[in-house]
Amino acid sequence: MTSTVDWLTRLVAFDTTSRHSNLELIDCVAGELRRLAIEPVLFDHEEDDGTRKASLFATFPTHDGRTDGGVVLSGHTDVVPVDGQDWDSDPFTVQERDGRLYGRGTADMKGFLAVIMSRLDAIAAVRLTEPLHLAFSYDEEVGLLGAGRMISQFPDHGITPASCIVGEPSGMRVVLGHKSINLFTVRFRGVAAHSSLTPQGVNAIHYAGRFIEFYRKLTGQWRQDGPFDEAYPVAFTTGGVNLISGGIAGNTVPDACEIEFEFRALGTVDTTPIVEQIRAHLFEVLEPDMQAEQPGAGIELTVKAQGPGLETDAEASVVALAHECGGHRTDEKVTYGTEAGQFHNAGIDSVVCGPGEIGVAHAANEYVEIEQLEACEAFLDTLIDRLGQERA
């Protein structure tokens, strides 16, 4: 376990909270790969504020140099903030207590990355019959951004893996399905006026309220009418309005109101008609009513994040492989989204299987059980052996 724990300690020490750059961590990983004569592909991105980030993709080819097909081990490098949380120890310094390793990202999901890093020499020493790929992304926590940008560039780089194992914390259970993520902001642009002269203004909050009631009824229909999938802990598509801001004073007709809403659809649900229904209500019902009051009023809809759901065929070869390597069988699907849906949507059969439990992710005193890391080590060791013929 020494190598895995050392790597976890090293990775957690990089503060890769999504608002920061992840380049120090990526440079560290790239350096280890280059030591083994593996040149990674870096997918750089610069934020509007100048912050630079990168995803990394690397391939250990077969003994005869083939890089097509094979298995991807995928994980994100970013973590959620610790702001306002009451930690018992420094969240960026791994602490061991009672068989657990505490620190931000230990479960979600630097534990999985640490196991991979601890096995790089072992991978390089095997005569692979199928290539083994690594995909480390950024900004998963703020909308699955890095993986989506990376995967979209696979064709330009001739990257054609056959399957993918995403190491999100699942208790080493092999998860075949999760819901999609769909997050939006809508801004209602009204017209300000003194509150005693309401006909001269357009109340943006009132129109936001009308949308909120429409959306409450829409999500209620999903809950009542389905479709349903009892493999999920919540068996139907869910949604809600979770943030709202607007207005400047109690005596002023508000000229702006912004709300943030989301829905998480079953993996089998086509989200396009849902989005079209929402857009139709905003722009064919509410916006004309606003503009009938004042022509300058209007609505703006922005997509903050969209990640496809996952629905992997139980007969897919990656499912059998994950089980053969020690991943636990389960019929359960999960409500949270992962990058597995993005890989799967690109034609790469994918499953979720990684150490730790999602219930402790994002919380103060996040931890991973050492026993879970040991199980992940055994999983990866078996995978390496199955993809290899003999030691070089």
Side-chain angles (χ1 to χ4, degrees), residues 285-349:
V285 177
L286 296 181
E287 189 172 60
D289 285 356
M290 294 179 74
Q291 293 176 344
E293 293 189 42
Q294 293 285 354
I299 296 174
E300 301 167 15
L301 178 67
T302 302
V303 179
K304 288 194 69 175
Q306 277 192 294
L310 175 69
E311 194 72 24
T312 298
D313 190 331
E315 301 303 316
S317 60
V318 69
V319 177
L321 177 63
H323 289 154
E324 290 165 5
C325 291
H328 305 310
R329 296 178 183 272
T330 181
D331 294 326
E332 297 175 2
K333 299 175 184 178
V334 295
T335 53
Y336 57 86
T338 79
E339 295 168 339
Q342 294 172 303
F343 282 97
H344 193 73
N345 217 36
I348 303 167
D349 284 340

Side-chain angles (χ1 to χ4, degrees), residues 16-46:
T16 53
T17 304
S18 301
R19 60 177 174 250
H20 302 318
S21 173
N22 72 333
L23 289 186
E24 279 190 87
L25 186 153
I26 290 295
D27 288 344
C28 174
V29 172
E32 287 296 301
L33 290 166
R34 290 175 180 132
R35 177 179 63 81
L36 299 169
I38 301 296
E39 184 59 37
V41 180
L42 301 182
F43 299 88
D44 294 319
H45 176 74
E46 184 172 346

Side-chain angles (χ1 to χ4, degrees), residues 58-99:
T59 298
F60 288 83
T62 62
H63 64 89
D64 56 0
R66 183 165 59 84
T67 60
D68 61 300
V71 182
V72 179
L73 299 175
S74 172
H76 62 83
T77 62
D78 62 314
V79 297
V80 298
V82 298
D83 304 15
Q85 294 185 334
D86 186 15
W87 283 72
D88 294 335
S89 56
D90 179 0
F92 297 104
T93 301
V94 170
Q95 297 285 329
E96 180 181 349
R97 299 193 294 274
D98 300 322

